[in-house]
């Protein structure tokens, strides 16, 4: 791998450096002058297109006034800047960040409704039952999940294809009202031209997605990234051979999944027959 290859790490590092530069009330031009660099070099660091070394990050940290644990964190990111497999607690931030937002998202959720399509009440019920989430952290996680859905409010939102198991749609998460509102929310989102939703029916039996939930994110200016979210940590995969594995998984899921029209019919039937009509008193999806 070349030193200047853009990775998720280098882009997270660039985002943090840009924020620090703005807080220091500096511009790219001013930063470049103070460090004796070209303005284009600073710009590439800030966007993650160029992976900054530890020495370069230390120089920027001094100019921006970054000290203590935050400086250590940025130096660690720089030290590991060209590594592709990265454990990280929140892959949705990479999707939602407008600086390097995904243009295409393909996701499979084995046990729950897709995270980017969850209502606040549904997400709250999921986090409240996670053994790794402290009770006082639930609301901040819910807020973060809903904030990530701003990806659909961009001027050019990504084209999305979500696969979801029928069993996940039948699994009661929270009250009947919460589930009804969640399934109706899926139906309202599925009519958007940039969102396709396909249900994998229980009758399909074992399929290629049994290894677990995953998300393939494709970018206009960067290489694709696969995000795998586990209970305690998430992983970003960026090597071509790893990406190819998940492309084959999604290709196989396409074969067994219901079409979009059939999927919508199934979701509608479950929303009405299994969980009843959405309650007027239950909180719907966050706006």
């Amino acid at each position: 791998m070349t030193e200047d290859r853009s990775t998720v790490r280098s882009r997270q590092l660039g985002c943090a450096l840009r924020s620090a530069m703005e807080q220091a009330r500096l511009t790219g031009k001013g930063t470049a002058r103070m460090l004796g660099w070209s303005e284009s070099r600073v710009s590439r660091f800030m966007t993650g297109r160029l992976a900054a070394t530890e020495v370069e990050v230390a120089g920027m940290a001094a100019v921006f006034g970054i000290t203590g644990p935050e400086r250590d964190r940025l130096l660690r990111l720089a030290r590991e800047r060209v590594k592709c497999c990265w454990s990280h607690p929140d892959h949705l931030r990479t999707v939602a960040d407008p600086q390097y937002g995904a243009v295409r998202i393909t996701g499979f959720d084995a046990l729950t409704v897709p995270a980017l399509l969850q209502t606040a009440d549904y997400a709250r019920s999921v986090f409240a039952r996670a053994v790794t989430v402290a009770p006082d952290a639930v609301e901040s996680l819910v807020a973060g999940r809903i904030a990530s859905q701003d990806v659909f409010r961009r001027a050019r939102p990504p084209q999305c294809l979500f696969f979801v198991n029928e069993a996940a749609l039948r699994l009661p998460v929270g009250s009947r009202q919460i589930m009804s509102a969640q399934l109706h929310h899926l139906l309202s989102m599925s009519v958007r031209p940039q969102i396709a939703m396909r249900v994998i029916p229980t009758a399909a039996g074992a399929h290629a997605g049994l290894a677990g939930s995953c998300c393939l994110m494709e970018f206009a200016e960067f290489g694709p990234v696969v995000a795998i979210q586990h209970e305690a940590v998430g992983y970003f995969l960026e090597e071509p051979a790893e990406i190819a594995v998940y492309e084959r998984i999604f290709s196989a899921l396409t074969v067994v999944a219901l079409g979009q029209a059939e999927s919508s019919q199934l979701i509608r039937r479950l929303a009405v027959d299994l969980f009843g009509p959405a309650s007027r008193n239950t909180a719907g999806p966050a706006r």
Side-chain angles (χ1 to χ4, degrees), residues 167-272:
L169 299 175
R170 292 179 175 274
L171 179 68
V173 175
S175 66
R176 289 173 59 89
Q177 290 79 13
I178 288 174
M179 281 302 301
S180 178
Q182 176 62 76
L183 295 184
H184 280 85
H185 180 58
L186 289 182
L187 291 172
S188 68
M189 295 296 286
S190 68
V191 301
R192 298 192 179 193
Q194 71 271 20
I195 296 178
M197 203 176 308
R198 298 187 59 182
V199 175
I200 301 175
T202 303
H207 53 74
L210 292 181
S213 303
C214 51
C215 179
L216 172 63
M217 299 175 283
E218 299 173 75
F219 304 85
E221 300 182 42
F222 309 110
V225 176
V226 166
I228 305 171
Q229 192 71 28
H230 294 300
E231 182 69 16
V233 70
Y235 291 93
F236 290 119
L237 306 177
E238 299 174 80
E239 291 288 0
E242 297 166 337
I243 300 299
V245 169
Y246 286 90
E247 288 176 336
R248 292 200 299 273
I249 289 175
F250 286 123
S251 178
L253 292 179
T254 300
V255 176
V256 299
L258 299 176
Q260 294 184 55
E262 292 176 289
S263 297
S264 294
Q265 290 173 3
L266 176 58
I267 295 172
R268 186 176 295 105
R269 186 167 66 250
L270 293 176
V272 175

Side-chain angles (χ1 to χ4, degrees), residues 13-33:
L13 175 59
C15 187
L17 289 171
R18 184 181 185 86
S19 176
M21 182 181 70
E22 293 172 349
Q23 289 180 14
R25 298 183 180 278
L26 290 170
T27 63
K29 184 176 182 178
T31 299
R33 184 176 60 252

Side-chain angles (χ1 to χ4, degrees), residues 127-148:
F127 286 128
R129 289 160 179 76
V131 297
T132 56
V133 175
D136 59 357
V138 170
E139 290 306 316
S140 64
L141 289 172
V142 172
R145 177 149 297 182
I146 298 305
S148 71

